[in-house]
Amino acid sequence: MAEQKRDYYEVLGVDKNADEAALKKAYRVLAKKYHPDMNPGDADAEKKFKEASEAYAVLSDPEKRRQYDQFGHAAFEGGAGAGGFGGFDFNGADFTDIFGDLFGDLFGGGRRSSGSRNGPMKGSNVRTSIRITFEEAVFGCEKEIDLTVKEECKTCKGSGAKPGTSPVTCTKCGGKGQVVFSQQSFFGTVRNVQTCPDCQGTGKVIKEKCPDCRGTGYIPMKKRFAVDIPAGIDNGQCKRLSGQGEPGINGGPRGDVLVEVIVGRHPIFQRQDMNIFSTVPVSFPIAALGGEIVIDTVDGKVIYEVKPGTQTDTRVRLKGKGVPSLRNKEVRGDQYVTLVVQVPDKLSHEAKELLSQYDAANDDSLNAAKRYTESKSGSGASGQSRKKKKIF
């Protein structure tokens, strides 16, 4: 009795509404995992590879997928062509780009590409970092950085060839910048494409190199760049200097300079998104009676009116005293200030007397321990007075 086939969608692990991209992604993962070249001698892996390949061959073909959705596996029983796995016909299934990527991963080759590799290509990006203060990040600033980047060699005008000579067409790739080679795989012979090792994809070979740039066409040069740091930038974010990076290849545009911003710590302020947080001490009398205190902000000092009876760790908001938005510097966050009531650890004799009077005048739950001690001192069989612990 023949083994019952699993549902193709289940095999690939995708939903029945999966699009072409999702199918291809799912199959590529399975093909790489179970490919016989990655699992030599593993019959179970080979079976799963065949199963996944068959499922993808059907579901990647719109007409076959329509038939499968309507009739299931019965749509292909009895009439399938020969030559595939288990009699299944793989004609029409597009494995080209998948196995171009796959064999590039397996064997270290380049990705398959139908186009030429020696066309114009954008130059590489250059990365660097810059340190700024907390205030500079809030309000923005201008900085200068020194970087070493490649500039066109003036001797050879960027050709890399010795003056009076010119680069010649690469004989290995015929000027295409790519070489085609074949590999034996589970499917038979697979064509793959790789960057030409002789010309590095340029399609040209320099016979006599320029003595100044040694055939590269470029000279390292130290340059100074002005960096406009926008208000509101945060730690770790980058400022891009477009077109200031490495030169392009074959006439391509230059890359960019990416400047990572490192914001220094502040002794008072902490930042979270567009908001600023700080802590301010408040004396006990002001917390109890109310009064004015001075609060530091990034805009300077402000006067804040503390409400009577303010408790420690009370948080207040100073609207619009936070960090500007990167998109609109007129829009700012807030500053949240935690008020911490300070209890003095050293008191004069006069201060202690005043606090004792205050304590005696407040007959509330806070004096429960005092009342309990006094009540105990007046009771007892011996009538002896008990020593009371003074509380300051």
Side-chain angles (χ1 to χ4, degrees):
M1 184 177 180
E3 183 179 353
Q4 186 176 2
K5 291 184 176 182
R6 286 201 300 157
D7 178 77
Y8 286 151
Y9 293 101
E10 179 186 343
V11 171
L12 296 181
V14 297
D15 185 82
K16 289 190 175 182
N17 296 320
D19 58 15
E20 182 181 353
L23 291 171
K24 184 176 293 186
K25 181 179 180 180
Y27 174 62
R28 188 180 188 281
V29 172
L30 295 174
K32 185 176 181 180
K33 182 177 181 181
Y34 296 116
H35 194 278
D37 290 337
M38 295 291 289
N39 304 274
D42 190 336
D44 184 60
E46 180 179 333
K47 178 182 176 182
K48 291 180 178 179
F49 178 71
K50 291 179 180 180
E51 186 181 43
S53 298
E54 181 177 321
Y56 179 71
V58 171
L59 300 182
S60 63
D61 185 293
E63 179 59 26
K64 291 178 181 179
R65 182 174 182 177
R66 185 189 64 78
Q67 295 178 31
Y68 178 75
D69 289 342
Q70 186 173 2
F71 302 107
H73 292 297
F76 310 106
E77 292 178 358
F85 297 119
F88 191 85
D89 182 10
F90 281 82
N91 291 332
D94 182 15
F95 293 95
T96 305
D97 57 343
I98 292 180
F99 284 102
D101 288 345
L102 180 60
F103 286 110
D105 290 339
L106 296 180
F107 305 112
R111 296 186 60 180
R112 182 180 179 89
S113 173
S114 59
S116 175
R117 301 281 298 232
N118 60 352
M121 296 178 61
K122 184 178 180 179
S124 301
N125 293 333
V126 177
R127 293 181 176 272
T128 187
S129 62
I130 190 171
R131 294 182 177 273
I132 63 174
T133 66
F134 188 92
E135 288 84 359
E136 287 174 332
V138 172
F139 298 110
C141 61
E142 290 187 0
K143 295 286 186 178
E144 289 186 339
I145 58 173
D146 292 324
L147 284 177
T148 299
V149 295
K150 295 177 182 177
E151 290 295 331
E152 185 180 276
C153 176
K154 295 181 179 179
T155 302
C156 64
K157 308 299 182 183
S159 69
K162 182 180 178 179
T165 67
S166 300
V168 298
T169 301
C170 177
T171 56
K172 188 176 185 67
C173 65
K176 295 180 180 180
Q178 296 176 323
V179 290
V180 180
F181 63 97
S182 300
Q183 288 178 316
Q184 293 298 320
S185 73
F186 191 76
F187 289 102
T189 302
V190 176
R191 294 176 70 251
N192 206 352
V193 180
Q194 199 174 49
T195 300
C196 178
D198 288 4
C199 66
Q200 304 300 318
T202 63
K204 299 287 185 180
V205 175
I206 301 173
K207 294 294 185 180
E208 297 185 66
K209 297 181 179 179
C210 172
D212 291 343
C213 67
R214 298 181 181 180
T216 64
Y218 301 100
I219 298 291
M221 184 175 295
K222 190 174 183 179
K223 296 181 65 177
R224 176 161 292 186
F225 298 92
V227 184
D228 182 19
I229 305 296
I233 198 166
D234 206 350
N235 185 60
Q237 292 182 321
C238 286
K239 172 67 177 180
R240 182 185 297 270
L241 306 181
S242 299
Q244 301 297 326
E246 294 296 314
I249 300 174
N250 297 326
R254 296 185 74 106
D256 303 328
V257 172
L258 303 177
V259 184
E260 181 184 5
V261 176
I262 301 175
V263 181
R265 292 181 177 272
H266 196 279
I268 298 176
F269 306 126
Q270 294 84 41
R271 175 179 174 178
Q272 184 176 335
D273 298 326
M274 292 173 57
N275 296 322
I276 293 176
F277 296 83
S278 64
T279 300
V280 174
V282 179
S283 68
F284 179 77
I286 290 181
L289 304 175
E292 293 181 342
I293 61 172
V294 177
I295 298 178
D296 288 313
T297 74
V298 290
D299 296 312
K301 298 182 182 295
V302 298
I303 302 298
Y304 181 80
E305 184 72 27
V306 177
K307 296 180 181 179
T310 294
Q311 302 298 307
T312 193
D313 291 335
T314 296
R315 177 174 285 184
V316 299
R317 182 179 72 157
L318 303 181
K319 190 174 181 180
K321 293 298 182 181
V323 181
S325 168
L326 274 173
R327 296 183 178 181
N328 183 2
K329 64 180 181 180
E330 301 300 324
V331 177
R332 294 182 62 174
D334 304 321
Q335 181 174 340
Y336 292 90
V337 184
T338 300
L339 305 180
V340 179
V341 179
Q342 289 189 319
V343 178
D345 54 358
K346 293 182 180 180
L347 293 171
S348 65
H349 178 74
E350 182 181 3
K352 290 180 181 180
E353 289 294 332
L354 291 174
L355 283 177
S356 296
Q357 294 176 23
Y358 163 79
D359 188 48
N362 285 273
D363 187 18
D364 53 23
S365 59
L366 296 178
N367 288 321
K370 182 178 180 180
R371 293 197 302 271
Y372 174 77
T373 302
E374 290 175 347
S375 66
K376 283 292 187 179
S377 65
S379 61
S382 62
Q384 296 178 354
S385 61
R386 302 193 180 189
K387 187 176 181 181
K388 294 185 290 183
K389 183 179 180 181
K390 291 185 179 181
I391 303 176
F392 296 101

Short mmCIF file of all heavy atoms in Angstrom, two decimals, residues 243-288:
data_model
loop_
_atom_site.label_atom_id
_atom_site.label_comp_id
_atom_site.label_asym_id
_atom_site.label_seq_id
_atom_site.Cartn_x
_atom_site.Cartn_y
_atom_site.Cartn_z
N GLY A 243 26.94 60.85 -0.31
CA GLY A 243 27.92 61.03 -1.38
C GLY A 243 29.31 61.40 -0.92
O GLY A 243 30.12 61.87 -1.72
N GLN A 244 29.63 61.18 0.36
CA GLN A 244 30.96 61.52 0.88
C GLN A 244 31.79 60.29 1.21
O GLN A 244 32.89 60.41 1.75
CB GLN A 244 30.82 62.39 2.14
CG GLN A 244 30.06 63.68 1.94
CD GLN A 244 30.75 64.63 0.98
OE1 GLN A 244 31.98 64.68 0.91
NE2 GLN A 244 29.98 65.37 0.20
N GLY A 245 31.27 59.09 0.89
CA GLY A 245 31.98 57.86 1.23
C GLY A 245 32.96 57.42 0.16
O GLY A 245 33.55 58.24 -0.55
N GLU A 246 33.13 56.09 0.04
CA GLU A 246 34.08 55.54 -0.91
C GLU A 246 33.60 55.74 -2.35
O GLU A 246 32.39 55.76 -2.61
CB GLU A 246 34.29 54.05 -0.64
CG GLU A 246 34.94 53.74 0.70
CD GLU A 246 36.36 54.28 0.78
OE1 GLU A 246 37.12 54.09 -0.18
OE2 GLU A 246 36.70 54.92 1.80
N PRO A 247 34.52 55.88 -3.31
CA PRO A 247 34.14 56.07 -4.71
C PRO A 247 33.37 54.86 -5.25
O PRO A 247 33.58 53.72 -4.79
CB PRO A 247 35.48 56.23 -5.42
CG PRO A 247 36.46 56.58 -4.35
CD PRO A 247 35.98 55.91 -3.12
N GLY A 248 32.50 55.11 -6.22
CA GLY A 248 31.76 54.03 -6.85
C GLY A 248 32.64 53.24 -7.80
O GLY A 248 33.77 53.62 -8.10
N ILE A 249 32.09 52.13 -8.28
CA ILE A 249 32.80 51.26 -9.20
C ILE A 249 32.22 51.42 -10.60
O ILE A 249 30.99 51.48 -10.76
CB ILE A 249 32.71 49.78 -8.75
CG1 ILE A 249 33.33 49.63 -7.34
CG2 ILE A 249 33.40 48.85 -9.74
CD1 ILE A 249 33.15 48.26 -6.76
N ASN A 250 33.08 51.50 -11.58
CA ASN A 250 32.65 51.64 -12.98
C ASN A 250 31.70 52.81 -13.20
O ASN A 250 30.67 52.69 -13.87
CB ASN A 250 32.00 50.34 -13.47
CG ASN A 250 32.97 49.17 -13.47
OD1 ASN A 250 34.16 49.35 -13.73
ND2 ASN A 250 32.47 47.98 -13.17
N GLY A 251 32.03 53.93 -12.59
CA GLY A 251 31.21 55.12 -12.78
C GLY A 251 30.04 55.25 -11.84
O GLY A 251 29.24 56.17 -11.98
N GLY A 252 29.92 54.34 -10.87
CA GLY A 252 28.82 54.42 -9.91
C GLY A 252 29.00 55.57 -8.92
O GLY A 252 30.10 56.11 -8.78
N PRO A 253 27.94 55.96 -8.22
CA PRO A 253 28.04 57.08 -7.27
C PRO A 253 28.84 56.70 -6.03
O PRO A 253 29.00 55.52 -5.71
CB PRO A 253 26.58 57.35 -6.90
CG PRO A 253 25.90 56.03 -7.09
CD PRO A 253 26.58 55.39 -8.26
N ARG A 254 29.34 57.71 -5.34
CA ARG A 254 30.07 57.47 -4.10
C ARG A 254 29.11 56.99 -3.02
O ARG A 254 27.91 57.26 -3.05
CB ARG A 254 30.75 58.75 -3.64
CG ARG A 254 31.82 59.29 -4.56
CD ARG A 254 32.53 60.48 -3.94
NE ARG A 254 33.42 60.05 -2.88
CZ ARG A 254 34.77 60.01 -2.99
NH1 ARG A 254 35.34 60.37 -4.13
NH2 ARG A 254 35.52 59.63 -1.98
N GLY A 255 29.67 56.27 -2.06
CA GLY A 255 28.89 55.86 -0.90
C GLY A 255 28.66 57.03 0.04
O GLY A 255 28.95 58.18 -0.30
N ASP A 256 28.20 56.74 1.23
CA ASP A 256 27.89 57.78 2.21
C ASP A 256 28.82 57.65 3.42
O ASP A 256 29.43 56.61 3.65
CB ASP A 256 26.43 57.66 2.68
CG ASP A 256 25.44 57.72 1.52
OD1 ASP A 256 25.74 58.42 0.54
OD2 ASP A 256 24.39 57.06 1.60
N VAL A 257 28.89 58.72 4.20
CA VAL A 257 29.56 58.69 5.50
C VAL A 257 28.47 58.63 6.57
O VAL A 257 27.58 59.48 6.60
CB VAL A 257 30.46 59.92 5.71
CG1 VAL A 257 30.98 59.96 7.14
CG2 VAL A 257 31.62 59.92 4.73
N LEU A 258 28.53 57.61 7.42
CA LEU A 258 27.55 57.44 8.48
C LEU A 258 28.22 57.77 9.81
O LEU A 258 29.15 57.07 10.23
CB LEU A 258 27.00 56.02 8.49
CG LEU A 258 26.35 55.54 7.19
CD1 LEU A 258 25.90 54.09 7.31
CD2 LEU A 258 25.17 56.43 6.82
N VAL A 259 27.77 58.84 10.44
CA VAL A 259 28.38 59.31 11.68
C VAL A 259 27.48 58.92 12.85
O VAL A 259 26.38 59.45 13.01
CB VAL A 259 28.58 60.84 11.66
CG1 VAL A 259 29.30 61.29 12.93
CG2 VAL A 259 29.36 61.26 10.42
N GLU A 260 27.93 57.97 13.66
CA GLU A 260 27.18 57.58 14.85
C GLU A 260 27.40 58.60 15.96
O GLU A 260 28.54 58.97 16.25
CB GLU A 260 27.59 56.19 15.33
CG GLU A 260 26.81 55.73 16.55
CD GLU A 260 27.29 54.38 17.08
OE1 GLU A 260 28.28 53.87 16.55
OE2 GLU A 260 26.68 53.88 18.04
N VAL A 261 26.32 59.03 16.58
CA VAL A 261 26.39 60.05 17.63
C VAL A 261 26.40 59.37 19.00
O VAL A 261 25.52 58.58 19.31
CB VAL A 261 25.20 61.02 17.53
CG1 VAL A 261 25.24 62.02 18.68
CG2 VAL A 261 25.25 61.76 16.19
N ILE A 262 27.41 59.69 19.78
CA ILE A 262 27.52 59.17 21.15
C ILE A 262 27.31 60.35 22.10
O ILE A 262 28.09 61.30 22.11
CB ILE A 262 28.88 58.52 21.40
CG1 ILE A 262 29.09 57.37 20.40
CG2 ILE A 262 29.00 58.03 22.83
CD1 ILE A 262 30.47 56.74 20.49
N VAL A 263 26.22 60.30 22.87
CA VAL A 263 25.85 61.40 23.76
C VAL A 263 26.40 61.14 25.16
O VAL A 263 26.19 60.06 25.73
CB VAL A 263 24.32 61.56 23.82
CG1 VAL A 263 23.94 62.74 24.72
CG2 VAL A 263 23.75 61.76 22.42
N GLY A 264 27.10 62.12 25.70
CA GLY A 264 27.67 61.98 27.03
C GLY A 264 26.62 62.03 28.12
O GLY A 264 25.52 62.57 27.94
N ARG A 265 26.93 61.46 29.26
CA ARG A 265 26.02 61.47 30.41
C ARG A 265 25.96 62.87 31.04
O ARG A 265 26.92 63.63 30.98
CB ARG A 265 26.46 60.46 31.47
CG ARG A 265 26.31 59.00 31.01
CD ARG A 265 26.75 58.06 32.12
NE ARG A 265 26.56 56.68 31.75
CZ ARG A 265 25.43 56.00 31.94
NH1 ARG A 265 24.40 56.60 32.50
NH2 ARG A 265 25.33 54.74 31.58
N HIS A 266 24.81 63.16 31.65
CA HIS A 266 24.63 64.44 32.33
C HIS A 266 24.53 64.18 33.83
O HIS A 266 23.94 63.19 34.26
CB HIS A 266 23.35 65.13 31.84
CG HIS A 266 23.29 66.57 32.20
ND1 HIS A 266 22.88 67.02 33.45
CD2 HIS A 266 23.58 67.70 31.48
CE1 HIS A 266 22.92 68.33 33.47
NE2 HIS A 266 23.34 68.77 32.30
N PRO A 267 25.13 65.03 34.67
CA PRO A 267 25.10 64.79 36.12
C PRO A 267 23.71 64.94 36.74
O PRO A 267 23.48 64.43 37.85
CB PRO A 267 26.06 65.85 36.67
CG PRO A 267 26.10 66.92 35.62
CD PRO A 267 25.94 66.21 34.32
N ILE A 268 22.80 65.62 36.07
CA ILE A 268 21.47 65.87 36.65
C ILE A 268 20.36 65.20 35.85
O ILE A 268 19.45 64.60 36.42
CB ILE A 268 21.20 67.39 36.74
CG1 ILE A 268 22.21 68.08 37.64
CG2 ILE A 268 19.77 67.65 37.23
CD1 ILE A 268 22.06 69.59 37.70
N PHE A 269 20.44 65.29 34.54
CA PHE A 269 19.33 64.86 33.69
C PHE A 269 19.52 63.45 33.14
O PHE A 269 20.64 63.02 32.86
CB PHE A 269 19.16 65.83 32.51
CG PHE A 269 19.01 67.26 32.91
CD1 PHE A 269 19.84 68.24 32.38
CD2 PHE A 269 18.03 67.65 33.82
CE1 PHE A 269 19.70 69.57 32.75
CE2 PHE A 269 17.89 68.97 34.19
CZ PHE A 269 18.73 69.93 33.66
N GLN A 270 18.41 62.76 32.99
CA GLN A 270 18.36 61.50 32.25
C GLN A 270 17.28 61.65 31.17
O GLN A 270 16.28 62.34 31.38
CB GLN A 270 18.01 60.32 33.16
CG GLN A 270 19.06 59.98 34.21
CD GLN A 270 18.92 60.83 35.45
OE1 GLN A 270 17.81 61.08 35.91
NE2 GLN A 270 20.04 61.28 35.99
N ARG A 271 17.51 60.99 30.06
CA ARG A 271 16.60 61.13 28.93
C ARG A 271 15.91 59.82 28.59
O ARG A 271 16.52 58.75 28.64
CB ARG A 271 17.35 61.63 27.69
CG ARG A 271 16.49 61.69 26.44
CD ARG A 271 17.26 62.20 25.25
NE ARG A 271 16.50 62.14 24.02
CZ ARG A 271 16.91 62.56 22.84
NH1 ARG A 271 18.13 63.09 22.73
NH2 ARG A 271 16.15 62.47 21.77
N GLN A 272 14.65 59.90 28.25
CA GLN A 272 13.90 58.77 27.72
C GLN A 272 13.01 59.28 26.60
O GLN A 272 12.05 60.01 26.84
CB GLN A 272 13.05 58.10 28.81
CG GLN A 272 12.32 56.85 28.33
CD GLN A 272 11.57 56.16 29.44
OE1 GLN A 272 11.92 56.30 30.61
NE2 GLN A 272 10.55 55.40 29.11
N ASP A 273 13.36 58.91 25.36
CA ASP A 273 12.67 59.42 24.18
C ASP A 273 12.77 60.95 24.16
O ASP A 273 13.86 61.49 24.15
CB ASP A 273 11.22 58.93 24.15
CG ASP A 273 11.13 57.42 24.07
OD1 ASP A 273 12.01 56.82 23.42
OD2 ASP A 273 10.21 56.84 24.66
N MET A 274 11.63 61.64 24.19
CA MET A 274 11.65 63.10 24.16
C MET A 274 11.51 63.73 25.54
O MET A 274 11.48 64.96 25.67
CB MET A 274 10.52 63.62 23.24
CG MET A 274 10.71 63.31 21.77
SD MET A 274 9.27 63.77 20.79
CE MET A 274 9.11 65.52 21.16
N ASN A 275 11.45 62.92 26.59
CA ASN A 275 11.27 63.44 27.94
C ASN A 275 12.57 63.42 28.72
O ASN A 275 13.45 62.58 28.49
CB ASN A 275 10.22 62.61 28.69
CG ASN A 275 8.84 62.73 28.04
OD1 ASN A 275 8.46 63.79 27.57
ND2 ASN A 275 8.10 61.63 28.01
N ILE A 276 12.68 64.36 29.66
CA ILE A 276 13.84 64.47 30.53
C ILE A 276 13.39 64.24 31.97
O ILE A 276 12.31 64.70 32.37
CB ILE A 276 14.51 65.85 30.39
CG1 ILE A 276 15.12 66.00 28.99
CG2 ILE A 276 15.59 66.06 31.45
CD1 ILE A 276 15.71 67.37 28.72
N PHE A 277 14.22 63.54 32.75
CA PHE A 277 13.89 63.23 34.15
C PHE A 277 15.00 63.76 35.05
O PHE A 277 16.19 63.70 34.71
CB PHE A 277 13.73 61.73 34.34
CG PHE A 277 12.58 61.14 33.56
CD1 PHE A 277 12.74 60.80 32.23
CD2 PHE A 277 11.35 60.96 34.15
CE1 PHE A 277 11.68 60.26 31.50
CE2 PHE A 277 10.28 60.43 33.43
CZ PHE A 277 10.45 60.08 32.11
N SER A 278 14.60 64.28 36.21
CA SER A 278 15.56 64.77 37.18
C SER A 278 14.98 64.64 38.58
O SER A 278 13.78 64.38 38.75
CB SER A 278 15.94 66.23 36.90
OG SER A 278 14.81 67.08 37.06
N THR A 279 15.86 64.81 39.58
CA THR A 279 15.46 64.74 40.98
C THR A 279 15.91 66.00 41.70
O THR A 279 17.05 66.46 41.50
CB THR A 279 16.08 63.51 41.67
OG1 THR A 279 15.65 62.32 41.00
CG2 THR A 279 15.66 63.42 43.13
N VAL A 280 15.01 66.58 42.52
CA VAL A 280 15.32 67.83 43.22
C VAL A 280 15.01 67.65 44.71
O VAL A 280 13.92 67.19 45.07
CB VAL A 280 14.49 69.01 42.66
CG1 VAL A 280 14.70 70.27 43.49
CG2 VAL A 280 14.85 69.25 41.21
N PRO A 281 15.96 68.00 45.60
CA PRO A 281 15.69 67.92 47.03
C PRO A 281 14.80 69.07 47.50
O PRO A 281 14.89 70.19 47.00
CB PRO A 281 17.09 68.01 47.65
CG PRO A 281 17.88 68.78 46.64
CD PRO A 281 17.35 68.40 45.31
N VAL A 282 13.93 68.79 48.47
CA VAL A 282 13.03 69.79 49.05
C VAL A 282 13.17 69.72 50.56
O VAL A 282 13.13 68.63 51.15
CB VAL A 282 11.56 69.53 48.64
CG1 VAL A 282 10.64 70.57 49.28
CG2 VAL A 282 11.42 69.53 47.13
N SER A 283 13.34 70.87 51.20
CA SER A 283 13.47 70.89 52.66
C SER A 283 12.15 70.49 53.31
O SER A 283 11.06 70.65 52.72
CB SER A 283 13.90 72.28 53.14
OG SER A 283 12.85 73.21 52.92
N PHE A 284 12.26 69.97 54.54
CA PHE A 284 11.06 69.54 55.25
C PHE A 284 10.06 70.68 55.47
O PHE A 284 8.86 70.51 55.25
CB PHE A 284 11.47 68.90 56.58
CG PHE A 284 10.29 68.44 57.39
CD1 PHE A 284 9.62 67.27 57.09
CD2 PHE A 284 9.84 69.20 58.48
CE1 PHE A 284 8.53 66.87 57.84
CE2 PHE A 284 8.76 68.80 59.23
CZ PHE A 284 8.09 67.62 58.91
N PRO A 285 10.51 71.89 55.89
CA PRO A 285 9.54 72.99 56.09
C PRO A 285 8.79 73.36 54.81
O PRO A 285 7.59 73.60 54.84
CB PRO A 285 10.42 74.14 56.58
CG PRO A 285 11.59 73.48 57.21
CD PRO A 285 11.85 72.28 56.36
N ILE A 286 9.51 73.42 53.67
CA ILE A 286 8.84 73.79 52.42
C ILE A 286 7.86 72.69 52.01
O ILE A 286 6.77 72.97 51.52
CB ILE A 286 9.88 74.04 51.31
CG1 ILE A 286 10.64 75.33 51.60
CG2 ILE A 286 9.21 74.12 49.94
CD1 ILE A 286 11.67 75.68 50.55
N ALA A 287 8.25 71.43 52.21
CA ALA A 287 7.34 70.33 51.88
C ALA A 287 6.08 70.40 52.73
O ALA A 287 4.97 70.12 52.26
CB ALA A 287 8.04 68.99 52.06
N ALA A 288 6.23 70.77 53.99
CA ALA A 288 5.08 70.82 54.90
C ALA A 288 4.24 72.08 54.70
O ALA A 288 3.01 72.02 54.65
CB ALA A 288 5.56 70.73 56.35
#
